[in-house]
Amino acid sequence: MEIQKMKIPRHVGIIVDGNGRWAEKRGKKRSYGHKAGSENLEKLSRYILTKTGVEILSVYVFSTENFKRSVEEVDYLMGLFTKKFKNDSKKYKQENIRIIFSGRREPLKEEVLKTMDEIVEMTKDNTGGILNFCLNYGGHSEIIDATLKIHHDLENGVIQELDETVFSKYLYHDLPPIDFLIRTSGEYRISNFMLWQASYAEFYFPETYFPDFNEEKFDQAILEYTKRDRRFGGIDYEKKDH
Ligand code: IPE
Ligand code: IPE
Ligand code: MG
């Protein structure tokens, strides 16, 4: 598809959802769906950041609330993340993609944190696009963590006042706002993802379960984005009467 000439979102968010149902539909365990989802994510993220013009991709792979799941499922996911970060770091490095993480480190285990730190370090000088893994991420936690740091810096005179630009600097990363937010699997909710950053995002909710959300489906999503009229509270008076 000729997407180069169209308006492309700078920052895309994907709420990776439907892995479990994808597996259950095939009579398999949920872990089978997580594995398929993680393989799809690796391919799709490289496509998005190297071929479409999107500069930043934030992917929601584990929420603070996902610790409510069984120990078996959480352990499987943590093992999968560790393995993928270890295996895929070379590919991301070669493709000039920088990996960052958003989320709380506590209570992630040492072996997970270690592979996260390694992939961040290995790709830190890459300039071809940013892949932001939101892992043990919660929009509420992010706002609370930022608020605590801001309180500290205000008390100590590091900052004198607070506005939206200053607040953004205290988030896990000071990224531009999310332009386009995709949630797969036919669920129509945000589930605590990027509450600050998604304030003016365009939303898109394909029915597809994440393991089947491929490049072609992403291109369709982008096409839909290009048809949206983003207003940010204003009116384009060249197109409309007062
Ligand atoms: C998304 O798939 C992956 C994570 C939340 C870790 P789910 O595991 O939520 O899959 P469904 O929604 O149960 O199908
Ligand atoms: C949101 O999906 C979290 C991630 C995709 C990582 P969930 O499947 O956990 O969300 P709910 O529980 O359906 O809202
Ligand atoms: Mg789900």
Side-chain angles (χ1 to χ4, degrees):
M1 186 172 68
E2 250 203 290
I3 50 179
Q4 277 82 352
K5 291 194 198 104
M6 304 189 293
K7 55 171 186 180
I8 296 297
R10 183 175 179 205
H11 186 178
V12 171
I14 302 183
I15 302 177
V16 165
D17 201 13
N19 291 348
R21 279 164 285 162
W22 182 90
E24 280 155 21
K25 212 175 85 183
R26 287 162 176 76
K28 307 265 192 191
K29 287 211 261 181
R30 296 177 56 80
S31 56
Y32 183 74
H34 291 315
K35 186 163 182 290
S38 74
E39 281 160 11
N40 185 45
L41 183 59
E42 179 236 310
K43 280 199 210 85
L44 186 66
S45 61
R46 291 193 290 128
Y47 169 73
I48 293 173
L49 290 169
T50 62
K51 300 277 194 296
T52 66
V54 170
E55 291 171 38
I56 302 147
L57 176 64
S58 290
V59 289
Y60 200 15
V61 295
F62 195 91
S63 69
T64 45
E65 290 75 30
N66 285 146
F67 276 110
K68 291 179 193 161
R69 296 189 183 192
S70 71
V71 176
E72 195 192 357
E73 183 164 352
V74 171
D75 282 353
Y76 180 83
L77 282 164
M78 292 299 155
L80 185 65
F81 295 144
T82 311
K83 203 171 118 197
K84 287 299 278 172
F85 296 145
K86 229 185 259 171
N87 287 351
D88 299 342
S89 53
K90 278 205 191 84
K91 286 184 207 161
Y92 289 120
K93 188 174 165 63
Q94 271 166 10
E95 303 219 35
N96 201 20
I97 293 168
R98 182 174 158 217
I99 307 284
I100 58 173
F101 288 91
S102 293
R104 281 189 178 159
R105 288 174 75 88
E106 280 281 311
L108 297 178
K109 292 196 176 129
E110 204 41 59
E111 67 243 43
V112 186
L113 292 169
K114 188 167 165 275
T115 52
M116 288 164 59
D117 293 343
E118 279 168 0
I119 198 168
V120 167
E121 177 60 28
M122 222 173 132
T123 61
K124 71 175 190 313
D125 298 322
N126 285 356
T127 54
I130 296 175
L131 177 54
N132 175 29
F133 279 100
C134 300
L135 198 168
N136 192 25
Y137 175 86
H140 285 177
S141 318
E142 182 172 37
I143 290 168
I144 289 170
D145 290 350
T147 307
L148 289 170
K149 283 184 259 163
I150 289 164
H151 173 71
H152 176 272
D153 282 0
L154 278 170
E155 292 250 295
N156 290 285
V158 180
I159 50 170
Q160 271 69 47
E161 54 194 54
L162 187 60
D163 61 18
E164 293 177 15
T165 312
V166 174
F167 191 92
S168 296
K169 293 191 197 313
Y170 284 87
L171 296 170
Y172 294 132
H173 293 282
D174 187 12
L175 298 171
I178 293 194
D179 299 299
F180 192 36
L181 179 52
I182 301 169
R183 181 180 187 141
T184 55
S185 88
E187 303 293 347
Y188 311 128
R189 54 180 173 268
I190 195 163
S191 299
N192 205 13
F193 183 57
M194 295 278 194
L195 300 179
W196 175 273
Q197 299 87 339
S199 59
Y200 264 100
E202 294 295 325
F203 287 78
Y204 183 73
F205 298 107
E207 296 295 315
T208 318
Y209 294 143
F210 185 74
D212 292 330
F213 191 72
N214 57 18
E215 296 174 6
E216 199 187 326
K217 295 214 155 77
F218 182 79
D219 286 350
Q220 279 168 18
I222 292 289
L223 192 61
E224 165 70 28
Y225 175 85
T226 63
K227 294 178 190 154
R228 302 276 178 95
D229 180 17
R230 301 189 75 190
R231 300 197 192 129
F232 301 99
I235 307 264
D236 184 351
Y237 290 110
E238 282 187 9
K239 285 195 206 141
K240 288 188 174 67
D241 281 340
H242 286 257

